[in-house]
């Protein structure tokens, strides 16, 4: 199974767990366990945001970006983040990382480096 397929299977699992947690027809023990998994995912993404914030979005830290960001795909990407504040923080971090910084690092506007404006 390829990485993309694994992420799809994991995302389907998350959807089932959330549906179970919100369902009124499931046995309480099943719903409670589903809520625990959902809470663990919320905690996981909050910790990823903390780690991204500590690493920073500067290009000079790019070697540390990949391992943290790859985890998002494994758990369903941004759509799997239930906490809006955490999602907003991660998206803001990604935008700052992509846009670049003064001094020529990053994609900049229209593909020009940030330092060539």
């Amino acid at each position: 199974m390829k990485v993309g397929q694994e992420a799809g299977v994991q995302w389907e699992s998350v959807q089932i767990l959330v549906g179970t947690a919100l369902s009124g027809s499931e046995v309480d023990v099943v719903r409670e366990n589903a809520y625990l998994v959902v809470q663990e995912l919320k905690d996981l993404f909050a910790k990823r945001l903390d780690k991204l914030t500590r690493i920073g979005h500067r290009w000079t830290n790019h070697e540390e970006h990949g391992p943290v960001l790859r985890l998002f795909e494994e758990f369903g990407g941004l759509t799997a983040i239930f906490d809006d504040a955490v999602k907003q923080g991660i998206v803001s971090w990604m935008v700052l990382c992509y846009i670049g910084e003064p001094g020529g690092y990053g994609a900049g506007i229209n593909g020009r480096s940030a330092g060539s404006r």
Side-chain angles (χ1 to χ4, degrees):
M1 190 180 301
K2 294 182 181 179
V3 173
Q5 292 172 327
E6 290 173 5
V9 170
Q10 289 172 346
W11 174 236
E12 289 173 17
S13 299
V14 168
Q15 289 176 315
I16 290 168
L17 289 168
V18 170
T20 300
L22 299 175
S23 172
S25 63
E26 297 296 330
V27 177
D28 286 341
V29 173
V30 173
R31 282 197 347 227
E32 185 176 319
N33 287 337
Y35 273 123
L36 290 174
V37 171
V38 170
Q39 186 58 49
E40 287 175 6
L41 281 174
K42 285 182 179 181
D43 294 344
L44 173 93
F45 287 121
K47 288 177 183 174
R48 293 293 97 185
L49 175 56
D50 288 342
K51 186 159 186 153
L52 287 171
T53 302
R54 281 194 314 274
I55 291 170
H57 60 271
R58 295 182 56 92
W59 176 253
T60 53
N61 299 336
H62 75 279
E63 290 181 0
E64 297 177 66
H65 295 165
V68 179
L69 292 171
R70 275 190 278 285
L71 183 69
F72 292 111
E73 184 178 352
E74 292 177 22
F75 285 95
L78 294 172
T79 58
I81 302 173
F82 305 113
D83 185 323
D84 287 338
V86 170
K87 186 183 295 189
Q88 174 72 33
I90 291 170
V91 169
S92 294
W93 185 94
M94 289 177 170
V95 169
L96 289 170
C97 190
Y98 179 77
I99 289 175
E101 58 192 58
Y105 296 108
I109 297 173
N110 295 324
R112 296 180 307 177
S113 75
S116 65
R117 288 185 224 152

